[in-house]
Amino acid sequence: MDSRLRTVGAFVTLAVVWGFSFLSIAVGLESLAPLLFAAFRYDVAAVVLLGYALVRGVDWAPTAPADAAAVVAGGVFLVSANGFLFVGQQTVPSGVAAIMQSLVPIVTSLWALALLPEERVSGAGAVGIGLGFVGVALVVRPDPTNLLGGDAVGRLLILAQVTSAALGGVLIQRAKPTLDRAALSGWSMLLGGLLLHAGSAGLGEAFALPTTTIGWLAVGYLGVFATGLAFFIYYWLLETRGALETSLVAYLVPVVATVAGVVVLGEEITVLTVVGFGVVFLGFVLLKRRAIAALVDEVGRAVERPGD
């Protein structure tokens, strides 16, 4: 029972920490330029994670080709592409931005089919992938007569971030790195942060440290808690509960982010956006139905086991 309580506690904590990250981005964008803000987030996270790896005394230098490839994949596609999220959230409500992240497991499956030869998809799985994109279309809802109007561009930028993050995860898996996870993530965030600083300078954003308390708090929260602390919880769940159960956090994070955005920022979430989220989740269930059935069976056996 204690083990299950720890798992549930870690799962909820991760969902809350990540859910509030979208609120923190929205608040920080009021005083910080988007790419510079994103760069600061990963600067802080890189210091936290590389410092932790150094204190632990692990082999933390990415000298092997596979480790270097994973660092580049993580830095370019997972980290620096988050700049799209920060730019997109200038116009897109934090709850909608979080809902769009629920497409990551489905897009990851598509990239895996293309890049990992061992991956296969059934007919029902293909339907699930299709439903995922129907769901995100309901969330994005581009207007053919005004593709650049409203927050359509922001939503498309967040979709680009989702696509890039999914690709980064698959490329890291393909590289098969052996480097300590904290070090691997720390180097990826350092590289991604440098790329974001370069992008910020290239777009003419003036370099400036946060000038408000809320700006410092947003950077600190995102770097230390939503990235550094979240890393430890996420990988602990991966090791103890597996990738499928851990990926389900992607469907709780939008709930936290939406509630926070509505309560704190007065954001509005349309019924069609909620329906789109439901369609994405249904697509995920179809795509991963066998693994979900096995997970449900495992949980049922654990509950029935005497003495638990």
Side-chain angles (χ1 to χ4, degrees), residues 99 102 131-132 134-139 141 269-283:
I99 286 172
S102 63
L131 280 176
V134 170
V136 84
L138 291 173
V139 175
R141 297 193 306 280
I269 302 295
T270 67
V271 172
L272 200 55
T273 296
V274 175
V275 171
F277 173 65
V279 173
V280 171
F281 180 69
L282 178 60

Side-chain angles (χ1 to χ4, degrees), residues 231-291:
F231 156 82
F232 296 109
I233 299 174
Y234 177 75
Y235 279 108
W236 181 81
L237 284 171
L238 274 181
E239 292 171 0
T240 58
R241 302 307 307 171
L244 175 67
E245 190 169 341
T246 302
S247 72
L248 293 176
V249 76
Y251 298 95
L252 184 56
V253 168
V255 177
V256 177
T258 299
V259 171
V262 170
V263 172
V264 178
L265 301 177
E267 295 177 344
E268 294 183 0
I269 302 295
T270 67
V271 172
L272 200 55
T273 296
V274 175
V275 171
F277 173 65
V279 173
V280 171
F281 180 69
L282 178 60
F284 172 79
V285 171
L286 276 175
L287 181 63
K288 298 294 184 181
R289 67 197 185 285
R290 292 191 181 91

Side-chain angles (χ1 to χ4, degrees), residues 151-284:
D151 62 359
V153 172
R155 296 184 188 220
L156 291 174
L157 285 173
I158 294 173
L159 185 58
Q161 174 260 328
V162 166
T163 303
S164 182
L167 173 60
V170 171
L171 289 176
I172 290 172
Q173 181 179 342
R174 187 181 185 185
K176 298 179 180 178
T178 57
L179 192 64
D180 176 80
R181 287 193 180 102
L184 176 62
S185 297
W187 284 112
S188 295
M189 289 172 192
L190 180 61
L191 172 60
L194 290 173
L195 291 173
L196 285 165
H197 277 295
S200 174
L203 290 178
E205 293 181 354
F207 182 87
L209 295 174
T211 56
T212 64
T213 301
I214 198 69
W216 281 108
L217 289 175
V219 170
Y221 177 82
L222 289 170
V224 176
F225 295 98
T227 309
L229 174 63
F231 156 82
F232 296 109
I233 299 174
Y234 177 75
Y235 279 108
W236 181 81
L237 284 171
L238 274 181
E239 292 171 0
T240 58
R241 302 307 307 171
L244 175 67
E245 190 169 341
T246 302
S247 72
L248 293 176
V249 76
Y251 298 95
L252 184 56
V253 168
V255 177
V256 177
T258 299
V259 171
V262 170
V263 172
V264 178
L265 301 177
E267 295 177 344
E268 294 183 0
I269 302 295
T270 67
V271 172
L272 200 55
T273 296
V274 175
V275 171
F277 173 65
V279 173
V280 171
F281 180 69
L282 178 60
F284 172 79

